Amino acid sequence: MPDSAFPLTRATTVPALQAVVTSFRKDGARIAFVPTMGALHEGHLALVRHAKTRADKVVVSIFVNPLQFGPTEDLARYPRNEAGDIALLQGVGCDLVYLPTVDVLYPDDFVSRIELKGPALGLETDFRPQFFSGVATVVMKLFNQVRPDLAVFGEKDFQQLSVVRAMVRDFDLGLEIVPYPTMREADGLALSSRNAYLSADERAVAPKLHAALETVRSVVQAAGDTEAAIARAKADLTAAGFGQIDYIALRDAETLGEVRAGKPRRLLAALWLGKTRLIDNIAV
Amino acid sequence: MPDSAFPLTRATTVPALQAVVTSFRKDGARIAFVPTMGALHEGHLALVRHAKTRADKVVVSIFVNPLQFGPTEDLARYPRNEAGDIALLQGVGCDLVYLPTVDVLYPDDFVSRIELKGPALGLETDFRPQFFSGVATVVMKLFNQVRPDLAVFGEKDFQQLSVVRAMVRDFDLGLEIVPYPTMREADGLALSSRNAYLSADERAVAPKLHAALETVRSVVQAAGDTEAAIARAKADLTAAGFGQIDYIALRDAETLGEVRAGKPRRLLAALWLGKTRLIDNIAV
C-alpha cells in the first residue's frame, strides 16, 4: 500500500496538535495514543497497529523526556532518528505524530511533578530514583494535551505500565490504559531502542536474560525454591558475561508488592551488559 | 425567591457527579466549579455568585481534604455544617453540590501526589510543608472529576491561587482559573471559616492584621523602608495580643518570589491569635 494512503500529519506545538485532534473529534473519531521516545522498532509499531484496531485515529508522540533521565544516564546519547521514525509510522497507519521540543513541554516556569508510591516503590526506583516521577509527569502532560480515549503501553516496561495505570486511576483521568505484550527477537531478546547500544558480542549474550527468566519461572511454577532459582539465575548471568544485576524479583503482578497467594505474579529483571542497561519481565 | 426556583442536585460519588455534569453538557452548558471545604460564609457565596455570572451551571464541592492538614493541625475540629451549607448554596443558585467522602477521593490503593516548587516555595510551605501538595492533589482530582470550563478561587488564599494556576498551566489542564477578591467584615477582617474559632476578645483584636498590612503598604508605596515597616507591623501585632507571626512578606504577585522592579507585588501574612491561625494578603 503506498504511503499516500495514510496522510500522516505532524505537529510540534500544543495548538497545532489540538487543532488536528479537534478535527478528529468533530468527525466523531475514537482516538488512541501511543507515547514514545522515538528510535522506533517493531515493538513500537506493534503498539501502533494494535491502537489502530481499537480506535479510528492513532496519535503517536516522539519525545525524549529529560525528566526521566538521571544526571549520569544516557539522555545525550539516547538514539534519535526522526526521519526514519516518521517513515515507519506512515507505514503502519499512524494519523498524527506529535514532536514537541523540550521548551514546549517544559517552559522555564515549569515547576510541577507527579510523585507516586505503590507500584513505583522499589525495582527501577532503587536504581533510577527520578524515573517514575519523570515518566508520570510527562505522561500526564501528554494525556492532557492529546485527550485520547485510550493509550497503549508495552508490557516491556511493566513497572511503568503499572505506574501509569495507578496515576490514571488516582487522578481520575478517565481514559483506558491498554497493555500490549513485549515483542521479542527470535532468540528471545526483548525489543528495545537501547539494544542498538550492544556490540555484536554483547548481542549474542543478551538473549540469556530472557532464558534465565524462563528458567526461574519453571522452578516457581513447579513450586520450587524461588530465592534459590533467582540466585542461580544471577550466577549464570554473571558467568555469561553480564555486569551488575540491579534486580531479579518476583512480585505481585497488580501491585508490584509482595506476591499474594492465588494472585498473578510477574518476574522482573534489570541488569547491565557492558555499558547498556537491559530490562525484561515475564508473567509467572 | 423560593428555594424551589433553584433545584440543587447533590452527588456523593463520581458516577453520580458525572451523570449530572454530562446532562449539563448535553444542554450545551458552560460549567463553573467552586471547590470548598464547607463551613460556608459570605466569601464562598460571593465566589458562587461570581461563577454564576461566568457560566450556565455552577458545581460546588464540599470536602475537608485530609491531605492538606498536618498531623498537629485542625482536621478533626475543622467546622462542618453540611445542612447549613446546602441551604446557603441553594440560596445563591448553585446547580450541583458534590459531597464526596474520604473513601471516594482516596481509596486504600491511592498512591499519587502532585508536588510543586515555584509559587509553592516558602511562605505557607515553611509552616505547613504538606499543604500545597495536598491542595494540588485534591484540586487535580476534583478538576478531572468535574471537568469544568472554569474554576473560581478566592484571593484570600493567594498562594494557593498561585499554586493552582501553576498546576493548571504545567499540566495543560485547559480550564480557566478565575480569581475573586477577598471578602471582608466591615472592620477589615478577611472572611474565613476559621474565624469561627475566635473568642469575642480575639475577634475584637483580629482586624488589626488587615490594618497592619495596609500600614506596611502605605510605607512601601511611599518608597519607604519595607523591612523596617514589616518589623514595626510585627511589633505592633505582638503588642496587640497576637501570638507567633509565621510571616509578613512582600513578594512578586505573579511568581511569589523576590519582588521585581515594575511588577505587581503582594503583601502576605500568616500569624496566630490564640489557638487560631489567620492568613491575609493585599495587593501593593
Side-chain angles (χ1 to χ4, degrees):
Chain A
M1 202 178 319
D3 285 347
S4 60
F6 296 111
L8 175 57
T9 308
R10 301 177 207 185
T12 58
T13 66
V14 180
L17 167 75
Q18 293 186 333
V20 181
V21 170
T22 301
S23 75
F24 291 166
R25 287 263 172 237
K26 281 207 178 110
D27 298 339
R30 185 171 161 83
I31 296 172
F33 176 50
V34 182
T36 82
M37 298 212 301
L40 301 183
H41 51 64
E42 268 303 314
H44 298 105
L45 301 183
L47 301 183
V48 177
R49 284 192 202 97
H50 185 64
K52 208 64 188 164
T53 71
R54 295 290 312 273
D56 305 303
K57 298 288 185 184
V58 177
V59 181
V60 174
S61 63
I62 297 178
F63 180 66
V64 181
N65 175 34
L67 282 197
Q68 71 194 64
F69 287 79
T72 64
E73 292 181 4
D74 59 344
L75 173 61
R77 69 172 187 133
Y78 195 85
R80 291 163 207 247
N81 178 10
E82 189 176 304
D85 289 345
I86 288 172
L88 288 172
L89 291 175
Q90 188 117 344
V92 291
C94 168
D95 299 281
L96 169 61
V97 58
Y98 177 42
L99 302 145
T101 59
V102 172
D103 285 351
V104 162
L105 286 197
Y106 306 122
D108 284 345
D109 55 1
F110 185 84
V111 294
S112 302
R113 290 287 186 285
I114 310 279
E115 301 283 352
L116 294 99
K117 299 192 189 296
L121 296 175
L123 302 172
E124 286 300 293
T125 297
D126 289 341
F127 300 90
R128 309 184 70 192
Q130 79 298 325
F131 183 65
F132 289 118
S133 177
V135 167
T137 301
V138 79
V139 168
M140 173 74 93
K141 283 185 66 76
L142 292 170
F143 282 174
N144 286 339
Q145 290 176 353
V146 176
R147 300 265 167 181
D149 298 290
L150 61 102
V152 184
F153 284 79
E155 291 184 344
K156 163 71 161 39
D157 296 286
F158 193 82
Q159 193 178 8
Q160 170 179 280
L161 168 64
S162 305
V163 166
V164 169
R165 274 182 166 145
M167 179 182 79
V168 165
R169 178 200 66 208
D170 283 357
F171 287 118
D172 309 90
L173 295 184
L175 81 164
E176 184 187 358
I177 300 301
V178 177
Y180 195 79
T182 304
M183 300 287 286
R184 298 184 181 280
E185 304 283 1
D187 58 15
L189 177 64
L191 298 196
S192 167
S193 303
R194 289 190 170 98
N195 292 350
Y197 298 153
L198 298 173
S199 70
D201 285 354
E202 288 166 350
R203 175 64 189 81
V205 169
K208 289 183 191 292
L209 168 58
H210 182 238
L213 294 182
E214 289 191 313
T215 302
V216 173
R217 169 164 61 190
S218 8
V219 173
V220 173
Q221 288 178 335
D225 182 334
T226 302
E227 288 313 307
I230 289 174
R232 248 188 336 267
K234 287 181 174 176
D236 292 348
L237 290 166
T238 301
F242 285 86
Q244 176 180 307
I245 297 171
D246 285 349
Y247 59 84
I248 300 179
L250 187 69
R251 294 295 182 92
D252 182 90
E254 195 196 318
T255 66
L256 292 191
E258 296 296 304
V259 297
R260 296 177 293 175
K263 296 283 188 179
R265 290 163 295 183
R266 201 90 188 176
L267 183 65
L268 305 100
L271 80 188
W272 289 82
L273 184 53
K275 291 184 174 171
T276 305
R277 189 170 182 274
L278 300 177
I279 65 171
D280 201 353
N281 67 88
I282 58 175
V284 174
Chain B
M1 202 178 319
D3 286 346
S4 59
F6 297 111
L8 174 57
T9 308
R10 302 177 207 187
T12 57
T13 67
V14 180
L17 167 75
Q18 293 186 333
V20 180
V21 170
T22 301
S23 74
F24 291 166
R25 288 263 172 237
K26 282 207 178 108
D27 298 339
R30 185 171 161 82
I31 296 172
F33 176 49
V34 182
T36 81
M37 297 212 300
L40 302 183
H41 51 63
E42 268 303 315
H44 299 104
L45 301 183
L47 302 183
V48 177
R49 284 192 202 96
H50 185 65
K52 207 65 187 164
T53 70
R54 295 287 314 272
D56 305 303
K57 298 287 186 183
V58 177
V59 181
V60 175
S61 64
I62 297 178
F63 180 66
V64 181
N65 175 34
L67 282 197
Q68 72 194 62
F69 287 80
T72 63
E73 292 180 3
D74 58 344
L75 174 61
R77 70 172 185 133
Y78 194 85
R80 291 163 208 245
N81 178 10
E82 190 175 304
D85 289 345
I86 289 173
L88 288 173
L89 290 175
Q90 188 119 342
V92 290
C94 168
D95 298 281
L96 169 62
V97 58
Y98 178 41
L99 302 145
T101 59
V102 172
D103 285 350
V104 162
L105 285 197
Y106 306 123
D108 283 345
D109 56 1
F110 185 84
V111 294
S112 302
R113 291 287 187 283
I114 310 278
E115 301 283 353
L116 294 99
K117 299 192 190 295
L121 295 175
L123 303 173
E124 286 300 293
T125 297
D126 289 342
F127 300 91
R128 308 185 69 191
Q130 78 298 325
F131 183 65
F132 289 117
S133 177
V135 167
T137 300
V138 79
V139 169
M140 173 75 94
K141 283 185 68 75
L142 293 170
F143 283 174
N144 286 340
Q145 291 175 353
V146 176
R147 301 264 167 185
D149 297 290
L150 61 101
V152 184
F153 284 79
E155 290 184 344
K156 163 70 159 39
D157 296 285
F158 194 83
Q159 193 178 9
Q160 169 178 282
L161 168 65
S162 305
V163 166
V164 169
R165 275 182 166 144
M167 179 182 80
V168 165
R169 177 200 68 207
D170 282 358
F171 288 117
D172 309 272
L173 295 185
L175 80 164
E176 185 188 357
I177 300 301
V178 177
Y180 195 79
T182 303
M183 299 287 286
R184 299 184 182 280
E185 304 283 2
D187 58 13
L189 177 64
L191 298 195
S192 166
S193 304
R194 289 191 170 97
N195 292 351
Y197 298 152
L198 299 173
S199 70
D201 285 353
E202 290 166 347
R203 175 64 190 80
V205 168
K208 290 183 190 291
L209 169 57
H210 181 239
L213 294 182
E214 288 191 314
T215 302
V216 173
R217 171 165 60 190
S218 10
V219 173
V220 173
Q221 288 178 336
D225 182 334
T226 302
E227 289 313 307
I230 289 175
R232 245 188 339 265
K234 287 181 176 176
D236 291 348
L237 289 166
T238 301
F242 285 86
Q244 177 180 306
I245 297 171
D246 285 349
Y247 58 84
I248 300 178
L250 185 69
R251 295 294 182 93
D252 181 90
E254 196 195 317
T255 67
L256 293 191
E258 296 296 303
V259 297
R260 297 176 293 176
K263 296 282 188 180
R265 289 164 293 183
R266 201 91 188 175
L267 182 65
L268 305 101
L271 80 187
W272 289 83
L273 184 54
K275 291 183 172 169
T276 304
R277 189 170 182 274
L278 300 177
I279 65 172
D280 201 353
N281 68 87
I282 57 176
V284 174

